[in-house]
């Protein structure tokens, strides 16, 4: 595999020294920072985004700890309640957190009904964008709210082929699609990514989705190979590194 630089835009850290909340009967296995570094040792990871899962709800302690261990080229994507104060958000920003997540698929986050007001509030305050975990076939009724967000992304290629039409509309309006969780989706990721970057070459960012909690097929290095083998060199750099670097505002 060619040694392309990768900004891992989506992975989870699960450290059992910190609170975990059972979600629909599920509790994940340990996957701490050391486990992550071992899992990606063959990849040229130069930075990334640690994403809070449903089973972490509003806990920030694990995320702050993980970011300290990973270093300044890594940022956090967190779940916070809508009644959080501006001062608390600014403090989280100082720890390297750069986005708010709405987990429609699994829960554990603020209500999706608050996405427009809350998402734009954190953007205006600290320039955080909004990340959305949703089955894209369920996007139709939410499109008006999402399109009013100033900066946003959708996880895991939207999960469903039936919702690609909605994702393309979001891309047309500046939305970012995360090419993550290939083992979660019901369509060919390569074809979908080609469709998105045809609309906007800066619209897709790659992530490992490690440790692939609850995914029918976990991440392997072959997911990276799919990008390298099926896109032009400039697009490979954009998808694996450049687009995410700009989206998360990281200097690398």
């Amino acid at each position: 595999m060619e040694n392309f630089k990768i900004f891992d835009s989506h992975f989870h850290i699960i450290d059992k020294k910190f609170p975990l909340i059972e979600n629909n009967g599920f509790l994940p296995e340990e996957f701490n920072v050391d486990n992550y570094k071992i899992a990606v040792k063959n990849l040229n990871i130069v930075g990334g985004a640690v994403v809070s899962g449903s089973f972490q709800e509003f806990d920030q302690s694990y995320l702050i700890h993980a970011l300290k261990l990973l270093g300044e080229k890594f940022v956090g994507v967190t779940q916070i309640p809508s009644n959080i104060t501006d001062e608390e958000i600014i403090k989280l920003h100082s720890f390297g957190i750069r986005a708010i997540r709405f987990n429609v698929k699994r829960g554990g986050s603020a209500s999706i009904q608050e996405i427009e007001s809350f998402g734009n509030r954190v953007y205006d305050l600290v320039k955080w964008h909004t990340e959305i975990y949703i089955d894209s076939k369920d996007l139709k009724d939410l499109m008006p709210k999402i399109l009013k967000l100033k900066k946003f992304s959708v996880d895991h290629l939207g999960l469903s082929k039936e919702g690609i039409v909605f994702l393309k509309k979001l891309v047309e309006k500046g939305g970012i699609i995360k090419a993550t969780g290939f083992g979660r989706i019901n369509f060919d990721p390569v074809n979908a990514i080609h469709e998105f970057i045809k609309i906007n070459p800066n619209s897709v960012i790659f992530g490992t989705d490690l440790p692939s909690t609850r995914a029918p097929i976990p991440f392997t290095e072959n997911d990276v190979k799919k990008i390298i083998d099926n896109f032009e060199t400039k697009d490979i750099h954009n998808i694996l590194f450049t687009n995410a670097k700009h989206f998360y505002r990281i200097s690398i």
Side-chain angles (χ1 to χ4, degrees), residues 107-203:
S109 67
S111 167
I112 191 64
Q113 298 308 317
E114 301 173 292
I115 191 169
E116 179 189 344
S117 58
F118 198 12
N120 284 332
R121 175 189 163 200
V122 297
Y123 181 84
D124 290 341
L125 183 66
V126 284
K127 293 297 184 286
W128 289 4
H129 61 267
T130 297
E131 301 204 3
I132 310 162
Y133 182 21
I134 189 171
D135 191 317
S136 59
K137 70 177 184 292
D138 299 327
L139 275 170
K140 184 177 181 180
D141 292 341
L142 289 170
M143 292 289 282
K145 286 181 177 290
I146 294 172
L147 288 171
K148 289 179 182 177
L149 291 169
K150 294 174 181 176
K151 190 176 180 183
F152 62 90
S153 65
V154 177
D155 293 343
H156 306 319
L157 293 164
L159 297 174
S160 294
K161 182 178 181 179
E162 297 84 348
I164 288 177
V165 62
F166 299 122
L167 295 185
K168 290 167 75 172
K169 290 179 181 178
L170 295 180
V171 168
E172 288 172 359
K173 299 297 184 181
I176 298 295
I177 307 301
K178 283 190 169 184
T180 57
F182 293 175
R184 301 180 186 275
I185 65 178
N186 67 356
F187 55 92
D188 176 15
V190 171
N191 288 339
I193 294 168
H194 274 294
E195 289 188 53
F196 299 140
I197 67 172
K198 185 176 180 180
I199 299 169
N200 178 359
N202 304 317
S203 65

Side-chain angles (χ1 to χ4, degrees), residues 46-65:
V46 296
V50 183
V51 178
S52 289
S54 59
F55 41 79
Q56 284 150 332
E57 292 192 353
F58 298 139
D59 175 59
Q60 309 299 328
S61 58
Y62 95 92
L63 185 52
I64 292 167
H65 180 258

